[in-house]
Amino acid sequence: MYTVKVSREGRYWVAEVADVPGGATETERLADLDHEVRDLLAGLLDVDEGSLELAYGSRAASGPENAGAWEAFVRERDEV
């Protein structure tokens, strides 16, 4: 299981994967974040994207302007 910390930095959503050198990526759309993280880790670790177990946490996705987007991301991720 890989722990992914997500924060909002300007117009980007930034994901940092604990204990994986080079394990950081960013995207403008929160909806694309899971794919970006899986693609990054698959390349870094030479594994299949579907085999990765990820646990997401939000460091700075709070506040009214980001709360709705974060909740939608979590719902969509859980449905997959």
Side-chain angles (χ1 to χ4, degrees):
M1 170 94 51
Y2 294 94
T3 301
V4 183
K5 296 294 181 189
V6 179
S7 61
R8 183 75 172 172
E9 296 181 19
R11 67 180 211 221
Y12 294 98
W13 291 96
V14 177
E16 297 175 69
V17 184
D19 302 322
V20 177
T25 189
E26 64 185 21
T27 183
E28 288 186 19
R29 293 176 25 117
L30 186 57
D32 296 335
L33 191 66
D34 188 65
H35 171 73
E36 292 295 326
V37 170
R38 289 178 183 282
D39 184 57
L40 171 74
L41 290 176
L44 289 174
L45 304 173
D46 195 27
V47 298
D48 181 69
E49 288 182 25
S51 70
L52 296 165
E53 291 185 43
L54 305 175
Y56 284 90
S58 170
R59 282 195 318 228
S62 58
E65 67 278 1
N66 295 325
W70 180 254
E71 290 170 7
F73 169 76
V74 170
R75 271 194 313 276
E76 289 177 22
R77 181 208 58 215
D78 291 346
E79 289 173 5
V80 173

